[in-house]
Amino acid sequence: DGTGSSGVYARAISLQLRNVELPEEYRESVSEKQSATEDITLAKNQRSQETTKAATLLLAAREEARKINDTAVNEAAVMLTEAALRAQEITFTFAAEARVYARVKADLNLTDEGLLSYVANRMYETAGAVRVSAGEPARLSWKEEL
């Protein structure tokens, strides 16, 4: 009751314990908890490493896909340019031939059939030995049209 009338009181400022032994179950429990904490930390670190590896692989795959796509786009552009140039070349060649044939037709005063005969004769002339076999009603001579 704090009045000092019954019993002896002591005030301890500090205590020092010696030869304190913890029960075996307690020590095992503490050891298991530490082991579990270490296992959790290890698992978190491994997860972090695997996540980093996966992210690195993903970035590498995306970069490779970008390179492949860029190459395909460039090759397609080159093919389109080559095709356009080839088309221009063919168009120019046919236009030049058309001008030549129009000039020949006008200069020689030929009909359409006469021009065809002229072109066929020129072809035979430059080809050398040519064998032609044609069945009826094919017309091989345009002599009357000239």
Side-chain angles (χ1 to χ4, degrees):
D1 67 21
T3 59
S5 60
S6 65
V8 177
Y9 294 95
R11 188 183 303 197
I13 295 184
S14 70
L15 296 173
Q16 193 172 39
L17 299 174
R18 290 194 222 183
N19 295 330
V20 176
E21 292 189 27
L22 299 173
E24 184 64 29
E25 290 177 0
Y26 181 78
R27 280 188 290 186
E28 286 177 9
S29 177
V30 169
S31 177
E32 288 174 4
K33 182 178 179 187
Q34 286 176 339
S35 178
T37 301
E38 289 171 1
D39 289 345
I40 290 170
T41 302
L42 178 64
K44 286 180 180 179
N45 289 339
Q46 286 175 338
R47 180 177 62 190
S48 176
Q49 288 174 352
E50 293 302 317
T51 302
T52 302
K53 284 181 191 177
T56 301
L57 289 174
L58 177 63
L59 288 175
R62 284 184 177 161
E63 182 63 21
E64 184 67 21
R66 186 192 60 76
K67 287 179 184 178
I68 291 169
N69 186 51
D70 288 349
T71 300
V73 167
N74 288 339
E75 288 177 0
V78 167
M79 291 174 76
L80 288 173
T81 301
E82 288 174 348
L85 290 174
R86 180 72 179 131
Q88 287 177 352
E89 177 185 354
I90 291 169
T91 302
F92 177 78
T93 301
F94 283 143
E97 286 182 21
R99 285 191 300 275
V100 167
Y101 290 137
R103 174 92 184 201
V104 167
K105 183 179 175 186
D107 289 350
L108 300 177
N109 197 24
L110 298 175
T111 63
D112 290 341
E113 290 81 9
L115 179 62
L116 288 174
S117 179
Y118 172 81
V119 170
N121 286 336
R122 296 292 301 200
M123 181 187 70
Y124 290 141
E125 179 183 302
T126 59
V130 175
R131 300 181 103 196
V132 177
S133 58
E136 290 295 327
R139 187 168 153 194
L140 294 179
S141 175
W142 294 90
K143 188 178 189 181
E144 301 85 34
E145 303 294 328
L146 296 175

